[in-house]
Structure formats: C-alpha cells, structure tokens
Amino acid sequence: MAQLIAILMTEKRTEEGERFGYIDLFDPERRERVGAPDFDDTKFMTETEARKLAEERGWSFRIG
C-alpha cells in the first residue's frame, strides 16, 4: 500500500508569516482524495502542527 500524502491546503499565513490551513489526504496508489479519517477537516492548523501530525501518523507531507 502506498503512503498517504497529507496536503496542507492553504494560501494563508499567520501574522508571524507561517502558513496555515487544513489537512486533506490523497492516496497516490488510487489517485484519489480520501479525506481525513478521524480528523476534523474544519480544524485549521499551522504548517508546524500539520507536519507534526503527518509525522505521527506516518503520512508524507506537502503544501497544496
């Protein structure tokens, strides 16, 4: 099974200049969006938080 890709969907930045947005998941093997299981899509997070979440769950990480 291919590793899921967590994409931080964002064009926004915090006052400190860090990107923030929400996580979307993509399955490259099936070439489809799979949402974000057991994760609230409406929860915005910074790039740092998103990278940490991806690392904890074993996802690859990209900025979208």
Side-chain angles (χ1 to χ4, degrees):
M1 182 173 128
Q3 186 177 37
L4 294 177
I5 300 170
I7 303 171
L8 182 65
M9 306 299 292
T10 184
E11 291 183 5
K12 301 177 188 265
R13 292 190 179 263
T14 64
E15 289 181 9
E16 296 79 25
E18 184 173 19
R19 291 181 277 213
F20 73 97
Y22 66 92
I23 289 287
D24 200 0
L25 288 181
F26 184 77
D27 181 346
E29 191 171 273
R30 294 184 179 177
R31 296 177 182 241
E32 65 184 28
R33 178 186 182 276
V34 293
D38 74 3
F39 184 75
D40 181 0
D41 275 342
T42 63
K43 180 181 184 270
F44 283 81
M45 63 181 65
T46 65
E47 181 179 349
T48 300
E49 293 168 325
R51 285 182 186 280
K52 182 178 179 190
L53 178 67
E55 183 178 322
E56 288 172 355
R57 298 198 179 187
W59 300 334
S60 294
F61 181 81
R62 296 205 179 128
I63 300 292

